[in-house]
Amino acid sequence: MNKLLPAIVVGLLFLALPVAADGIEYLDPLVELPPASPVLVIAEDVPDDVGEQINLSWSLSFDDPAVGGGRGNVISYTIMRKEADTDNEFKVLGAVEAGNGQYLDTTCEPDSSYIYLVGASNGNTVAFSNPTETTIASTHFMHSQRWNILIGTLILSGLLLYFIYTARKGKELFIRRIAGLDAVEEALGRATEMGKPIRYVSGLGGMSDVATIASVNILGQVARKAAIYEIRLIVPCFDPIVLAVEREVIKESYLDVGRPDAYDPNDVFFVTQSQFAYAAAVNGIMLRDRPATNFYMGMFYAESLILAETGASTGAIQIAGTDAPAQIPFFIAACDYCIMGEELYAASAYMSREPLLLGGLKGQDWAKFIIGAMIVVGVIVSFFTTSFAEFLTGS
Amino acid sequence: MEISTDIWVWIAAIFTLFIYSFLYKDNPLYKFAEHVMVGLSTGYYTAIVFHTVIVPDFWEPLVHSISKFTMSPAEFSSYAIANELTTLPTVLQDFSPVVAIIMLLIPALLGLMLFTRFIPKISWLSRFSLAFILGAGSGLAIPNSFQTRILEQLRGTIVEDQGSIVVPLFSIDAWRDFFSAPGIGTFFEAVSGPLLIIGTLCVLAYFFFSKEHKGVLGGAAKAGIWFLMIGFGASFGYTVMARVSLLIGRMQFLLTDWLGIID
């Protein structure tokens, strides 16, 4: 036994050391052998994009630790790409950690064709899959999940056009009374009697805000009446583009009623694009000019109460209108009349009674009726299945 | 407990007090603060727009496009290295230099046309720019508004998402839960969905302008205005809380950062 002991020790050392006495490197079979390559690699064009993405998916290598059955020595997957129909070589595109079976290539050129390889790596060697089939990163003109918007827009546009056509043919279109808008005449009359100016604030929105567009339409009507009654109209603006549009609209209104001489462009002016600096300036103007009437129509934020409270303290008649739900309560609290949400959009049609605008308003009402009907139908259907709602939103 | 020695904290505190003096009445101090604030903000935003819009979106891409057009590829490489141009401007990535120059000059021209308002004889040119802004703005806003303001609201009135599960707002399960275990919680669970649906329909009825609000429509509209006012009341309370926190923030600045009365 004593003679065998050194031989046993040497034998154990031989097993333990990776380099044997003959100089040949013996690899740890659990770590160093090349892993099994990933299989079923599929490259698919991403739908509804502008042609810059291809999605790769594959079945994990048998040796991926997440699979659990193999050597578990995969540490990452390397993704390589080459342009199809060229002699270019495959270039490394990126890598994902073991356990992931997907990669989104977002660097494609629109309408170009690509071939991909996915390789399982153990840190030393990479075992690549077979090349994928040629895949084109196609540009999609239409978003397949947005058909509902197209259909809805066409239906609503069709309704609007139909009612505008009907109104133009001379059909009488009824609109119910809107108290806040009836008060405009009264407020302008008061300003005329007092010989004081009126002030119109169209909020902090830009020209892409629906509320600002509605506000500009109302301003046109207010300006017409101001021109007729010879009242000074002061319009402090927050946005320079809105300023340009409002000057045009007011000028047009004064021209329409035959009083271009009464229009003073200096009364329509830019203040600043800083929210609270604007509020401070408008407050100051309010206290110094003491207008008889204040209009707040458009998109408002935290400055709404500051403006309306100061206006109320000067004793002016105040008419506000906005579609910002968080600001309506402040206007209700601090103003004499408040035009809420949809009423703001209806205001210009209500005030002008122009067939074109009345037809549009009638079309909007029908759209609301359809939406109400869809809610009723949707609730009944979703009582049994949720797929109706999924169909509506495309989600 | 030490008063601030930072000049900027003092300036901020004094201007805060000037603005608050408006609570007493309009006065020269408020007027001074107001004018400084308006002037500063206008100058500041002009500089911001110049450095964040005009220079990176117009001037630099234009200069690079002209350089690429006039230089050989080797010269342009040296130019790119000299100017630390790691990535080309988007317009140059997608188009040839000539097209890129044209693509940059069109919006610049439209922008300049807005300034023709200062020259009465050719002020009509500004209308082209305004027409473009209005048309493009509305065109871009409509699909998004349709999705968020109509379709998503419509969906939210019919079903609600509970994690990954979509549940109808009017659900027989909620009523079954209530009848099997009557209580305030299960009652509100059962009632909230139908209440939301009825509320939405009533508010829609209120905003229906083509018919006189009489009969069934009148009743629904009256209920609609109640729903609206309850909603506004809740919103009012919620927003007032936020405004009070703004006031507290300003008071903290005065008492902590400036006077050092509060630690």
Side-chain angles (χ1 to χ4, degrees), chain B residues 115-146:
Chain B
F115 288 96
T116 59
R117 303 184 61 77
F118 298 115
I119 310 162
K121 271 190 179 175
I122 53 165
S123 64
W124 56 272
L125 279 171
S126 66
R127 292 184 174 192
F128 287 100
S129 310
L130 292 178
F132 182 83
I133 291 164
L134 282 171
S138 307
L140 289 169
I142 286 170
N144 287 339
S145 296
F146 202 92

PDB file of all heavy atoms in Angstrom, chain B residues 115-146:
ATOM      1  N   PHE B 115     -42.797  86.828 -41.194  1.00  0.00           N
ATOM      2  CA  PHE B 115     -42.310  88.174 -40.868  1.00  0.00           C
ATOM      3  C   PHE B 115     -42.731  89.221 -41.898  1.00  0.00           C
ATOM      4  O   PHE B 115     -42.534  90.410 -41.680  1.00  0.00           O
ATOM      5  CB  PHE B 115     -40.781  88.162 -40.734  1.00  0.00           C
ATOM      6  CG  PHE B 115     -40.317  87.460 -39.495  1.00  0.00           C
ATOM      7  CD1 PHE B 115     -39.945  86.138 -39.523  1.00  0.00           C
ATOM      8  CD2 PHE B 115     -40.282  88.125 -38.274  1.00  0.00           C
ATOM      9  CE1 PHE B 115     -39.536  85.480 -38.378  1.00  0.00           C
ATOM     10  CE2 PHE B 115     -39.882  87.475 -37.121  1.00  0.00           C
ATOM     11  CZ  PHE B 115     -39.505  86.150 -37.178  1.00  0.00           C
ATOM     12  N   THR B 116     -43.308  88.759 -43.011  1.00  0.00           N
ATOM     13  CA  THR B 116     -43.757  89.749 -44.012  1.00  0.00           C
ATOM     14  C   THR B 116     -44.925  90.577 -43.476  1.00  0.00           C
ATOM     15  O   THR B 116     -45.306  91.575 -44.085  1.00  0.00           O
ATOM     16  CB  THR B 116     -44.195  89.064 -45.330  1.00  0.00           C
ATOM     17  OG1 THR B 116     -45.251  88.162 -45.042  1.00  0.00           O
ATOM     18  CG2 THR B 116     -43.048  88.328 -45.985  1.00  0.00           C
ATOM     19  N   ARG B 117     -45.470  90.157 -42.339  1.00  0.00           N
ATOM     20  CA  ARG B 117     -46.552  90.928 -41.718  1.00  0.00           C
ATOM     21  C   ARG B 117     -46.100  92.351 -41.387  1.00  0.00           C
ATOM     22  O   ARG B 117     -46.910  93.266 -41.281  1.00  0.00           O
ATOM     23  CB  ARG B 117     -47.023  90.254 -40.438  1.00  0.00           C
ATOM     24  CG  ARG B 117     -47.483  88.836 -40.617  1.00  0.00           C
ATOM     25  CD  ARG B 117     -48.012  88.285 -39.316  1.00  0.00           C
ATOM     26  NE  ARG B 117     -49.155  89.056 -38.865  1.00  0.00           N
ATOM     27  CZ  ARG B 117     -50.357  88.953 -39.359  1.00  0.00           C
ATOM     28  NH1 ARG B 117     -50.597  88.098 -40.330  1.00  0.00           N
ATOM     29  NH2 ARG B 117     -51.340  89.686 -38.904  1.00  0.00           N
ATOM     30  N   PHE B 118     -44.792  92.524 -41.229  1.00  0.00           N
ATOM     31  CA  PHE B 118     -44.284  93.855 -40.893  1.00  0.00           C
ATOM     32  C   PHE B 118     -44.160  94.753 -42.128  1.00  0.00           C
ATOM     33  O   PHE B 118     -43.863  95.930 -42.012  1.00  0.00           O
ATOM     34  CB  PHE B 118     -42.916  93.736 -40.202  1.00  0.00           C
ATOM     35  CG  PHE B 118     -42.995  92.983 -38.903  1.00  0.00           C
ATOM     36  CD1 PHE B 118     -42.355  91.761 -38.741  1.00  0.00           C
ATOM     37  CD2 PHE B 118     -43.737  93.483 -37.847  1.00  0.00           C
ATOM     38  CE1 PHE B 118     -42.444  91.063 -37.551  1.00  0.00           C
ATOM     39  CE2 PHE B 118     -43.838  92.793 -36.650  1.00  0.00           C
ATOM     40  CZ  PHE B 118     -43.197  91.580 -36.500  1.00  0.00           C
ATOM     41  N   ILE B 119     -44.340  94.165 -43.310  1.00  0.00           N
ATOM     42  CA  ILE B 119     -44.275  94.964 -44.548  1.00  0.00           C
ATOM     43  C   ILE B 119     -45.675  94.914 -45.189  1.00  0.00           C
ATOM     44  O   ILE B 119     -46.031  93.912 -45.823  1.00  0.00           O
ATOM     45  CB  ILE B 119     -43.212  94.383 -45.523  1.00  0.00           C
ATOM     46  CG1 ILE B 119     -41.885  94.173 -44.762  1.00  0.00           C
ATOM     47  CG2 ILE B 119     -43.020  95.288 -46.721  1.00  0.00           C
ATOM     48  CD1 ILE B 119     -40.926  93.246 -45.466  1.00  0.00           C
ATOM     49  N   PRO B 120     -46.471  95.949 -44.998  1.00  0.00           N
ATOM     50  CA  PRO B 120     -47.878  95.899 -45.429  1.00  0.00           C
ATOM     51  C   PRO B 120     -48.080  95.448 -46.878  1.00  0.00           C
ATOM     52  O   PRO B 120     -49.026  94.716 -47.165  1.00  0.00           O
ATOM     53  CB  PRO B 120     -48.352  97.344 -45.225  1.00  0.00           C
ATOM     54  CG  PRO B 120     -47.458  97.885 -44.165  1.00  0.00           C
ATOM     55  CD  PRO B 120     -46.132  97.218 -44.362  1.00  0.00           C
ATOM     56  N   LYS B 121     -47.189  95.861 -47.784  1.00  0.00           N
ATOM     57  CA  LYS B 121     -47.395  95.542 -49.199  1.00  0.00           C
ATOM     58  C   LYS B 121     -47.378  94.045 -49.490  1.00  0.00           C
ATOM     59  O   LYS B 121     -48.049  93.565 -50.397  1.00  0.00           O
ATOM     60  CB  LYS B 121     -46.320  96.247 -50.042  1.00  0.00           C
ATOM     61  CG  LYS B 121     -46.736  97.633 -50.473  1.00  0.00           C
ATOM     62  CD  LYS B 121     -45.761  98.169 -51.495  1.00  0.00           C
ATOM     63  CE  LYS B 121     -46.197  99.548 -51.955  1.00  0.00           C
ATOM     64  NZ  LYS B 121     -45.207 100.127 -52.862  1.00  0.00           N
ATOM     65  N   ILE B 122     -46.552  93.314 -48.764  1.00  0.00           N
ATOM     66  CA  ILE B 122     -46.458  91.870 -49.036  1.00  0.00           C
ATOM     67  C   ILE B 122     -46.912  91.033 -47.823  1.00  0.00           C
ATOM     68  O   ILE B 122     -46.598  89.854 -47.724  1.00  0.00           O
ATOM     69  CB  ILE B 122     -45.016  91.452 -49.446  1.00  0.00           C
ATOM     70  CG1 ILE B 122     -43.995  91.950 -48.402  1.00  0.00           C
ATOM     71  CG2 ILE B 122     -44.669  91.925 -50.833  1.00  0.00           C
ATOM     72  CD1 ILE B 122     -42.645  91.268 -48.539  1.00  0.00           C
ATOM     73  N   SER B 123     -47.683  91.664 -46.942  1.00  0.00           N
ATOM     74  CA  SER B 123     -48.099  90.947 -45.719  1.00  0.00           C
ATOM     75  C   SER B 123     -48.982  89.738 -46.042  1.00  0.00           C
ATOM     76  O   SER B 123     -49.083  88.811 -45.241  1.00  0.00           O
ATOM     77  CB  SER B 123     -48.819  91.892 -44.766  1.00  0.00           C
ATOM     78  OG  SER B 123     -50.009  92.333 -45.365  1.00  0.00           O
ATOM     79  N   TRP B 124     -49.609  89.743 -47.232  1.00  0.00           N
ATOM     80  CA  TRP B 124     -50.456  88.615 -47.619  1.00  0.00           C
ATOM     81  C   TRP B 124     -49.658  87.304 -47.709  1.00  0.00           C
ATOM     82  O   TRP B 124     -50.232  86.218 -47.590  1.00  0.00           O
ATOM     83  CB  TRP B 124     -51.156  88.898 -48.950  1.00  0.00           C
ATOM     84  CG  TRP B 124     -50.206  89.245 -50.074  1.00  0.00           C
ATOM     85  CD1 TRP B 124     -49.738  90.482 -50.388  1.00  0.00           C
ATOM     86  CD2 TRP B 124     -49.597  88.339 -50.987  1.00  0.00           C
ATOM     87  NE1 TRP B 124     -48.879  90.417 -51.447  1.00  0.00           N
ATOM     88  CE2 TRP B 124     -48.776  89.117 -51.845  1.00  0.00           C
ATOM     89  CE3 TRP B 124     -49.667  86.963 -51.193  1.00  0.00           C
ATOM     90  CZ2 TRP B 124     -48.027  88.545 -52.866  1.00  0.00           C
ATOM     91  CZ3 TRP B 124     -48.931  86.401 -52.219  1.00  0.00           C
ATOM     92  CH2 TRP B 124     -48.115  87.185 -53.037  1.00  0.00           C
ATOM     93  N   LEU B 125     -48.349  87.414 -47.886  1.00  0.00           N
ATOM     94  CA  LEU B 125     -47.523  86.193 -47.992  1.00  0.00           C
ATOM     95  C   LEU B 125     -47.567  85.364 -46.706  1.00  0.00           C
ATOM     96  O   LEU B 125     -47.443  84.139 -46.738  1.00  0.00           O
ATOM     97  CB  LEU B 125     -46.070  86.584 -48.290  1.00  0.00           C
ATOM     98  CG  LEU B 125     -45.732  86.906 -49.741  1.00  0.00           C
ATOM     99  CD1 LEU B 125     -44.326  87.472 -49.834  1.00  0.00           C
ATOM    100  CD2 LEU B 125     -45.865  85.669 -50.615  1.00  0.00           C
ATOM    101  N   SER B 126     -47.757  86.053 -45.574  1.00  0.00           N
ATOM    102  CA  SER B 126     -47.764  85.334 -44.295  1.00  0.00           C
ATOM    103  C   SER B 126     -48.928  84.361 -44.209  1.00  0.00           C
ATOM    104  O   SER B 126     -48.906  83.416 -43.425  1.00  0.00           O
ATOM    105  CB  SER B 126     -47.825  86.324 -43.134  1.00  0.00           C
ATOM    106  OG  SER B 126     -49.054  86.997 -43.148  1.00  0.00           O
ATOM    107  N   ARG B 127     -49.962  84.590 -45.006  1.00  0.00           N
ATOM    108  CA  ARG B 127     -51.135  83.702 -44.958  1.00  0.00           C
ATOM    109  C   ARG B 127     -50.796  82.288 -45.437  1.00  0.00           C
ATOM    110  O   ARG B 127     -51.431  81.328 -45.026  1.00  0.00           O
ATOM    111  CB  ARG B 127     -52.265  84.284 -45.794  1.00  0.00           C
ATOM    112  CG  ARG B 127     -52.819  85.545 -45.166  1.00  0.00           C
ATOM    113  CD  ARG B 127     -53.995  86.071 -45.921  1.00  0.00           C
ATOM    114  NE  ARG B 127     -54.577  87.207 -45.212  1.00  0.00           N
ATOM    115  CZ  ARG B 127     -55.752  87.727 -45.507  1.00  0.00           C
ATOM    116  NH1 ARG B 127     -56.466  87.209 -46.487  1.00  0.00           N
ATOM    117  NH2 ARG B 127     -56.210  88.747 -44.831  1.00  0.00           N
ATOM    118  N   PHE B 128     -49.819  82.173 -46.321  1.00  0.00           N
ATOM    119  CA  PHE B 128     -49.410  80.831 -46.778  1.00  0.00           C
ATOM    120  C   PHE B 128     -48.860  80.032 -45.594  1.00  0.00           C
ATOM    121  O   PHE B 128     -49.178  78.863 -45.422  1.00  0.00           O
ATOM    122  CB  PHE B 128     -48.351  80.937 -47.882  1.00  0.00           C
ATOM    123  CG  PHE B 128     -48.905  81.393 -49.201  1.00  0.00           C
ATOM    124  CD1 PHE B 128     -48.775  82.712 -49.612  1.00  0.00           C
ATOM    125  CD2 PHE B 128     -49.568  80.500 -50.035  1.00  0.00           C
ATOM    126  CE1 PHE B 128     -49.301  83.133 -50.816  1.00  0.00           C
ATOM    127  CE2 PHE B 128     -50.089  80.916 -51.253  1.00  0.00           C
ATOM    128  CZ  PHE B 128     -49.953  82.242 -51.640  1.00  0.00           C
ATOM    129  N   SER B 129     -48.021  80.705 -44.803  1.00  0.00           N
ATOM    130  CA  SER B 129     -47.431  80.027 -43.639  1.00  0.00           C
ATOM    131  C   SER B 129     -48.517  79.646 -42.641  1.00  0.00           C
ATOM    132  O   SER B 129     -48.528  78.535 -42.112  1.00  0.00           O
ATOM    133  CB  SER B 129     -46.418  80.927 -42.949  1.00  0.00           C
ATOM    134  OG  SER B 129     -45.528  81.447 -43.882  1.00  0.00           O
ATOM    135  N   LEU B 130     -49.429  80.578 -42.401  1.00  0.00           N
ATOM    136  CA  LEU B 130     -50.502  80.306 -41.441  1.00  0.00           C
ATOM    137  C   LEU B 130     -51.376  79.155 -41.931  1.00  0.00           C
ATOM    138  O   LEU B 130     -51.774  78.285 -41.148  1.00  0.00           O
ATOM    139  CB  LEU B 130     -51.358  81.557 -41.227  1.00  0.00           C
ATOM    140  CG  LEU B 130     -50.675  82.721 -40.511  1.00  0.00           C
ATOM    141  CD1 LEU B 130     -51.602  83.907 -40.415  1.00  0.00           C
ATOM    142  CD2 LEU B 130     -50.232  82.296 -39.116  1.00  0.00           C
ATOM    143  N   ALA B 131     -51.663  79.149 -43.239  1.00  0.00           N
ATOM    144  CA  ALA B 131     -52.485  78.064 -43.799  1.00  0.00           C
ATOM    145  C   ALA B 131     -51.787  76.719 -43.599  1.00  0.00           C
ATOM    146  O   ALA B 131     -52.416  75.722 -43.233  1.00  0.00           O
ATOM    147  CB  ALA B 131     -52.727  78.313 -45.287  1.00  0.00           C
ATOM    148  N   PHE B 132     -50.458  76.721 -43.805  1.00  0.00           N
ATOM    149  CA  PHE B 132     -49.692  75.479 -43.623  1.00  0.00           C
ATOM    150  C   PHE B 132     -49.739  75.030 -42.160  1.00  0.00           C
ATOM    151  O   PHE B 132     -49.974  73.865 -41.860  1.00  0.00           O
ATOM    152  CB  PHE B 132     -48.241  75.704 -44.065  1.00  0.00           C
ATOM    153  CG  PHE B 132     -47.393  74.479 -43.948  1.00  0.00           C
ATOM    154  CD1 PHE B 132     -47.394  73.517 -44.946  1.00  0.00           C
ATOM    155  CD2 PHE B 132     -46.599  74.264 -42.829  1.00  0.00           C
ATOM    156  CE1 PHE B 132     -46.629  72.371 -44.833  1.00  0.00           C
ATOM    157  CE2 PHE B 132     -45.828  73.132 -42.702  1.00  0.00           C
ATOM    158  CZ  PHE B 132     -45.844  72.183 -43.714  1.00  0.00           C
ATOM    159  N   ILE B 133     -49.520  75.981 -41.248  1.00  0.00           N
ATOM    160  CA  ILE B 133     -49.517  75.646 -39.816  1.00  0.00           C
ATOM    161  C   ILE B 133     -50.876  75.090 -39.400  1.00  0.00           C
ATOM    162  O   ILE B 133     -50.970  74.058 -38.730  1.00  0.00           O
ATOM    163  CB  ILE B 133     -49.155  76.886 -38.963  1.00  0.00           C
ATOM    164  CG1 ILE B 133     -47.689  77.269 -39.191  1.00  0.00           C
ATOM    165  CG2 ILE B 133     -49.400  76.629 -37.478  1.00  0.00           C
ATOM    166  CD1 ILE B 133     -47.333  78.660 -38.715  1.00  0.00           C
ATOM    167  N   LEU B 134     -51.947  75.781 -39.825  1.00  0.00           N
ATOM    168  CA  LEU B 134     -53.296  75.350 -39.439  1.00  0.00           C
ATOM    169  C   LEU B 134     -53.636  73.992 -40.050  1.00  0.00           C
ATOM    170  O   LEU B 134     -54.151  73.103 -39.381  1.00  0.00           O
ATOM    171  CB  LEU B 134     -54.331  76.382 -39.884  1.00  0.00           C
ATOM    172  CG  LEU B 134     -54.432  77.622 -39.011  1.00  0.00           C
ATOM    173  CD1 LEU B 134     -55.314  78.669 -39.663  1.00  0.00           C
ATOM    174  CD2 LEU B 134     -55.007  77.252 -37.652  1.00  0.00           C
ATOM    175  N   GLY B 135     -53.327  73.844 -41.339  1.00  0.00           N
ATOM    176  CA  GLY B 135     -53.660  72.587 -42.034  1.00  0.00           C
ATOM    177  C   GLY B 135     -52.883  71.418 -41.470  1.00  0.00           C
ATOM    178  O   GLY B 135     -53.459  70.387 -41.116  1.00  0.00           O
ATOM    179  N   ALA B 136     -51.567  71.592 -41.357  1.00  0.00           N
ATOM    180  CA  ALA B 136     -50.732  70.494 -40.850  1.00  0.00           C
ATOM    181  C   ALA B 136     -51.072  70.193 -39.390  1.00  0.00           C
ATOM    182  O   ALA B 136     -51.177  69.031 -38.989  1.00  0.00           O
ATOM    183  CB  ALA B 136     -49.257  70.862 -40.978  1.00  0.00           C
ATOM    184  N   GLY B 137     -51.294  71.257 -38.608  1.00  0.00           N
ATOM    185  CA  GLY B 137     -51.626  71.070 -37.184  1.00  0.00           C
ATOM    186  C   GLY B 137     -52.900  70.279 -37.018  1.00  0.00           C
ATOM    187  O   GLY B 137     -52.952  69.311 -36.255  1.00  0.00           O
ATOM    188  N   SER B 138     -53.946  70.654 -37.761  1.00  0.00           N
ATOM    189  CA  SER B 138     -55.223  69.943 -37.650  1.00  0.00           C
ATOM    190  C   SER B 138     -55.079  68.520 -38.156  1.00  0.00           C
ATOM    191  O   SER B 138     -55.588  67.573 -37.540  1.00  0.00           O
ATOM    192  CB  SER B 138     -56.306  70.657 -38.462  1.00  0.00           C
ATOM    193  OG  SER B 138     -56.369  71.992 -38.091  1.00  0.00           O
ATOM    194  N   GLY B 139     -54.402  68.367 -39.277  1.00  0.00           N
ATOM    195  CA  GLY B 139     -54.233  67.026 -39.864  1.00  0.00           C
ATOM    196  C   GLY B 139     -53.516  66.080 -38.922  1.00  0.00           C
ATOM    197  O   GLY B 139     -53.886  64.914 -38.791  1.00  0.00           O
ATOM    198  N   LEU B 140     -52.499  66.595 -38.246  1.00  0.00           N
ATOM    199  CA  LEU B 140     -51.755  65.745 -37.312  1.00  0.00           C
ATOM    200  C   LEU B 140     -52.557  65.492 -36.034  1.00  0.00           C
ATOM    201  O   LEU B 140     -52.454  64.426 -35.425  1.00  0.00           O
ATOM    202  CB  LEU B 140     -50.415  66.400 -36.946  1.00  0.00           C
ATOM    203  CG  LEU B 140     -49.373  66.422 -38.060  1.00  0.00           C
ATOM    204  CD1 LEU B 140     -48.211  67.327 -37.684  1.00  0.00           C
ATOM    205  CD2 LEU B 140     -48.845  65.016 -38.337  1.00  0.00           C
ATOM    206  N   ALA B 141     -53.370  66.494 -35.654  1.00  0.00           N
ATOM    207  CA  ALA B 141     -54.094  66.363 -34.376  1.00  0.00           C
ATOM    208  C   ALA B 141     -55.299  65.432 -34.492  1.00  0.00           C
ATOM    209  O   ALA B 141     -55.625  64.726 -33.536  1.00  0.00           O
ATOM    210  CB  ALA B 141     -54.550  67.737 -33.902  1.00  0.00           C
ATOM    211  N   ILE B 142     -55.952  65.401 -35.657  1.00  0.00           N
ATOM    212  CA  ILE B 142     -57.219  64.650 -35.769  1.00  0.00           C
ATOM    213  C   ILE B 142     -57.062  63.151 -35.473  1.00  0.00           C
ATOM    214  O   ILE B 142     -57.783  62.619 -34.625  1.00  0.00           O
ATOM    215  CB  ILE B 142     -57.900  64.909 -37.138  1.00  0.00           C
ATOM    216  CG1 ILE B 142     -58.514  66.319 -37.121  1.00  0.00           C
ATOM    217  CG2 ILE B 142     -58.978  63.869 -37.435  1.00  0.00           C
ATOM    218  CD1 ILE B 142     -59.004  66.816 -38.453  1.00  0.00           C
ATOM    219  N   PRO B 143     -56.137  62.418 -36.127  1.00  0.00           N
ATOM    220  CA  PRO B 143     -56.053  60.974 -35.814  1.00  0.00           C
ATOM    221  C   PRO B 143     -55.745  60.700 -34.340  1.00  0.00           C
ATOM    222  O   PRO B 143     -56.332  59.809 -33.739  1.00  0.00           O
ATOM    223  CB  PRO B 143     -54.912  60.473 -36.703  1.00  0.00           C
ATOM    224  CG  PRO B 143     -54.753  61.493 -37.752  1.00  0.00           C
ATOM    225  CD  PRO B 143     -55.154  62.780 -37.157  1.00  0.00           C
ATOM    226  N   ASN B 144     -54.845  61.499 -33.759  1.00  0.00           N
ATOM    227  CA  ASN B 144     -54.511  61.294 -32.338  1.00  0.00           C
ATOM    228  C   ASN B 144     -55.697  61.598 -31.443  1.00  0.00           C
ATOM    229  O   ASN B 144     -55.986  60.859 -30.506  1.00  0.00           O
ATOM    230  CB  ASN B 144     -53.327  62.184 -31.942  1.00  0.00           C
ATOM    231  CG  ASN B 144     -52.036  61.670 -32.525  1.00  0.00           C
ATOM    232  OD1 ASN B 144     -51.928  60.502 -32.875  1.00  0.00           O
ATOM    233  ND2 ASN B 144     -51.070  62.539 -32.662  1.00  0.00           N
ATOM    234  N   SER B 145     -56.384  62.710 -31.737  1.00  0.00           N
ATOM    235  CA  SER B 145     -57.556  63.068 -30.931  1.00  0.00           C
ATOM    236  C   SER B 145     -58.629  61.994 -31.072  1.00  0.00           C
ATOM    237  O   SER B 145     -59.294  61.645 -30.105  1.00  0.00           O
ATOM    238  CB  SER B 145     -58.138  64.406 -31.387  1.00  0.00           C
ATOM    239  OG  SER B 145     -57.213  65.403 -31.167  1.00  0.00           O
ATOM    240  N   PHE B 146     -58.797  61.496 -32.284  1.00  0.00           N
ATOM    241  CA  PHE B 146     -59.819  60.465 -32.521  1.00  0.00           C
ATOM    242  C   PHE B 146     -59.523  59.224 -31.685  1.00  0.00           C
ATOM    243  O   PHE B 146     -60.411  58.633 -31.076  1.00  0.00           O
ATOM    244  CB  PHE B 146     -59.848  60.108 -34.013  1.00  0.00           C
ATOM    245  CG  PHE B 146     -61.145  59.485 -34.436  1.00  0.00           C
ATOM    246  CD1 PHE B 146     -62.176  60.268 -34.919  1.00  0.00           C
ATOM    247  CD2 PHE B 146     -61.344  58.118 -34.336  1.00  0.00           C
ATOM    248  CE1 PHE B 146     -63.379  59.706 -35.285  1.00  0.00           C
ATOM    249  CE2 PHE B 146     -62.547  57.552 -34.708  1.00  0.00           C
ATOM    250  CZ  PHE B 146     -63.568  58.345 -35.189  1.00  0.00           C
TER     251      PHE B 146
END
